[in-house]
Each structure stands twice: as C-alpha cells, then as structure tokens.
Amino acid sequence: MSNQTMNKAANIAQLKSMARSRIPGFVYDYLSSGCNDDLAVENNRKSLDQVYLQPYYLRPSGPVQLSVEILGRSYSAPFGVAPLGLSGLIWPKASEYQARAAKQANIPFILSTVASISIERAAECAEDCFWFQLYPPTDKNMLHDLMKRADVAGCKNLVVTIDVPSLGKRPRDIRSGLTVPPKLTLGSFFQVLTRPAWAMAMAWHGRPEFETIKPYLKTTGNMAELSDFIRKTLKDIVDLELLKQIRDQWPHQLIVKGISSREDAELALKVGTDAIIVSNHGGRQLDASIPPVELVAAIKNKIGEKIPCDG
Ligand SMILES: Cc1cc2nc3c(=O)[nH]c(=O)nc-3n(C[C@H](O)[C@H](O)[C@H](O)COP(=O)(O)O)c2cc1C
C-alpha cells in the first residue's frame, strides 16, 4: 500500500470503506462475500478476533524484526499476498500492482491461475517473490504446460489449491449476475454508472481476461464458450493421485493450499509436499467449515516440525 493510501486508510475498516466507494457494489460483493449464508466468513473473523498476542516488555531483546525464512528464502514479514481470481475485475492491472508491491515489501506474491495477468507478466513484476497457484486442469497437456511455464518464468514455489472440488454457492454473485457465464443485470449496470473512475478505467483497459489460460482457449473470446471451458477443462478435483503426479512433474517446492484437517495434512506430507497452507478459502467454499486459525495448532502438533504449516 502506498503511503498516500495509508494516510487515507489507517486500518482495514477504512480501507474497506474506500474500496466500497470506488468499485461497483457487485465487484465489492465478489471480493468480500463468502458462500451460502456467509457464516464461514463471519466465523473466520470471530476466530481471528480471539487471537491474542502476549507481549514481554521487560525481557531483554534485540531490535524488532519481522523477517522470516520460508522454504529456504528470507522474507521481510511472515505473510504474503494470497491468490485472487478475476483480479482485473476489481481494478485493471490489480495483480500487477500487488506483484510489484510484494516485491518491494519482500513478501511472497501468489498468482492465481485465473488472475487477469499471465504467469510471465507476474514473474516480471514480482521477480523472486513470485509463487504460482495452480488449479490443475483436466487436460494433462495443459497441466504440464502451466507447470513448465511457471518453471521457465523462474517460479520456485507451486501452490496447488485443493479446496475447490466444485465452486461454492455465492448468493450475492448469483444475484448480481456474476456467474459462469456472466449475466449483467440492470442493477449492476446502475452500480457501474455510480462508479465513474472504475468505469473509465475498465473502458480504457478493456474487459479483463484470464491471461494465463488464454493461450489454451480455442474460442474467439465468446463468454459462453469461455465459461464452458472453465467448467469442463480448468479445474480438476485434486485427489492424492493427482497430487502425486504434480509432485513427480514439478521440480521445485510444492505447497498445498486449502488444508482443513490433520488427516489431509498428513496425506499431503506423504506425497512429498514441502509446505501446507491451512485455509478455508476465506470462507468462500464451505459455509460450515472450521476457521483455519482454530486448526493450525492441532495440525502443527500432528505433523510436528516436518514441514512449514501456516494459516
Ligand atoms: C475475491 C477472491 C478471489 C480468490 N481467488 C482465489 C483463487 O483464484 N485461488 C485460490 O487458491 N484462492 C483464492 N481465494 C482465496 C484466497 O487466496 C485466500 O485463501 C482467502 O482470501 C483467505 O485467506 P486465508 O487462506 O489466509 O485464510 C480468493 C479469495 C477472494 C476473496
């Protein structure tokens, strides 16, 4: 975040309110909502609010430092930028800004398979902070090619997301027509009219595309065909067998994202995963899921110090 933005938005609540006033309601809903009745989002929030920090003011200590080593590389803070699909809908080039900011802050930037910039562009912007998140496609040639492109671009960390065996039901997206395929409603149209800066930026840069998967589309860019492609080809169900295949093909570090149980953590470990991300997809997939922050300790206990495990 730039200093200018930080001066205007001193905390997350202010930042959210700024975003709300700049982007149309249906885009804000896409960014902020969960699934079904939004219970998982609320429960994630409540659980995070119950995390307390224990200060030791009098204990002798050196200078304050947040830096941390993750998978053999040192980063300046113990967090990074999570993958965000359809990022170009929020603002043109949103992922480029995130990637450059992550590099500047020296924290990991994870590009989503369905973000609006390509693997190659993200690698240019994030340089050695670039990680790639993979939704494994059913087409094995495409799967192989995506991994090869990430490798050639210099990516050392491949993040495989396992918690989208099917897409969560997102009522606010359904109401606003942000579905596959999208249906622009009259309401969404009026929301666009009330956010001229967003509308102008979109008009200037053109409709956001799925740049990473664009080369595999055999369509003319027609929305219905694109939706069909995403539904049928893009996301395979990640089972142990597929994870093993990916492990065998990927020459660098493999991270599994979306772990929500001790059992899955152990299985991921068995197939040679280097690290796991305990996550419930921000509550966007399973409304009755357990908040990840409540699972981290138990999972860490189960798998010990064998691999890094973060929520
Ligand atoms: C708008 C939006 C789009 C997302 N797109 C993806 C995606 O393409 N791939 C993915 O693995 N996770 C995606 N996520 C989930 C986030 O990467 C992340 O898991 C979530 O925000 C919660 O953070 P946590 O995992 O640290 O709990 C998305 C989240 C949001 C809010």
Side-chain angles (χ1 to χ4, degrees):
M1 205 190 314
S2 69
N3 280 344
Q4 210 188 357
T5 309
M6 252 190 298
N7 292 343
K8 285 193 212 152
N11 62 10
I12 300 293
Q14 289 178 8
L15 196 62
K16 276 173 125 174
S17 133
M18 266 175 77
R20 204 179 207 134
S21 64
R22 270 178 81 75
I23 60 179
F26 71 95
V27 178
Y28 186 82
D29 280 348
Y30 165 68
L31 189 58
S32 63
S33 67
C35 59
N36 302 83
D37 296 322
D38 276 342
L39 294 177
V41 174
E42 282 168 32
N43 291 334
N44 280 358
R45 182 68 268 159
K46 276 188 216 147
S47 289
L48 283 167
D49 290 345
Q50 297 300 313
V51 174
Y52 300 105
L53 300 178
Q54 172 71 72
Y56 296 100
Y57 298 117
L58 295 177
R59 194 191 264 182
S61 63
V64 174
Q65 61 100 9
L66 286 174
S67 66
V68 63
E69 195 180 306
I70 307 172
L71 295 167
R73 185 199 184 285
S74 172
Y75 292 94
S76 300
F79 43 74
V81 179
L84 186 84
L86 217 58
S87 49
L89 178 73
I90 293 145
W91 204 269
K93 297 191 176 187
S95 291
E96 282 195 31
Y97 300 137
Q98 286 183 320
R100 284 209 204 90
K103 171 62 193 165
Q104 209 183 356
N106 187 35
I107 57 171
F109 165 75
I110 313 179
L111 179 80
S112 163
T113 309
V114 287
S116 306
I117 63 170
S118 68
I119 290 177
E120 293 74 15
R121 184 81 194 115
E124 260 171 53
C125 297
E127 300 177 30
D128 56 342
C129 291
F130 173 54
W131 298 24
F132 179 58
Q133 177 266 320
L134 181 70
Y135 280 130
T138 46
D139 178 331
K140 297 299 169 217
N141 290 332
M142 184 176 160
L143 171 64
H144 184 72
D145 198 57
L146 281 171
M147 286 196 271
K148 196 167 154 216
R149 282 172 61 193
D151 184 18
V152 170
C155 174
K156 298 287 178 250
N157 296 301
L158 184 74
V159 179
V160 176
T161 296
I162 61 167
D163 58 6
V164 190
S166 66
L167 195 65
K169 185 176 181 185
R170 306 195 180 140
R172 285 196 260 170
D173 291 349
I174 295 171
R175 197 183 50 201
S176 64
L178 205 60
T179 46
V180 184
K183 299 175 197 99
L184 187 68
T185 63
L186 200 61
S188 307
F189 178 72
F190 281 115
Q191 288 170 14
V192 170
L193 291 182
T194 61
R195 297 292 182 272
W198 182 91
M200 297 279 282
M202 284 291 156
W204 181 257
H205 290 278
R207 192 183 74 190
E209 307 244 26
F210 297 105
E211 293 292 344
T212 289
I213 58 165
K214 210 164 128 184
Y216 313 102
L217 294 172
K218 294 172 188 85
T219 75
T220 48
N222 170 311
M223 266 299 162
E225 287 177 34
L226 176 64
S227 307
D228 205 42
F229 177 84
I230 291 177
R231 221 179 6 240
K232 290 192 187 138
T233 320
L234 192 59
K235 289 180 194 169
D236 204 354
I237 294 177
V238 186
D239 58 14
L240 220 47
E241 194 43 49
L242 180 56
L243 210 51
K244 271 188 212 149
Q245 286 171 20
I246 294 172
R247 173 65 291 179
D248 290 345
Q249 285 180 33
W250 176 247
H252 308 291
Q253 294 171 126
L254 181 68
I255 299 106
V256 174
K257 175 174 184 283
I259 296 280
S260 271
S261 68
R262 287 176 291 184
E263 289 74 10
D264 277 353
E266 279 204 309
L267 289 172
L269 193 66
K270 267 195 189 136
V271 297
T273 299
D274 297 289
I276 58 172
I277 299 177
V278 180
S279 165
N280 65 356
H281 217 101
R284 293 163 75 83
Q285 281 296 113
L286 180 64
D287 217 16
S289 55
I290 304 172
V293 72
E294 295 192 12
L295 288 166
V296 173
I299 291 178
K300 256 197 141 119
N301 273 344
K302 184 81 180 172
I303 60 175
E305 294 302 319
K306 288 178 211 156
I307 57 170
C309 154
D310 274 302

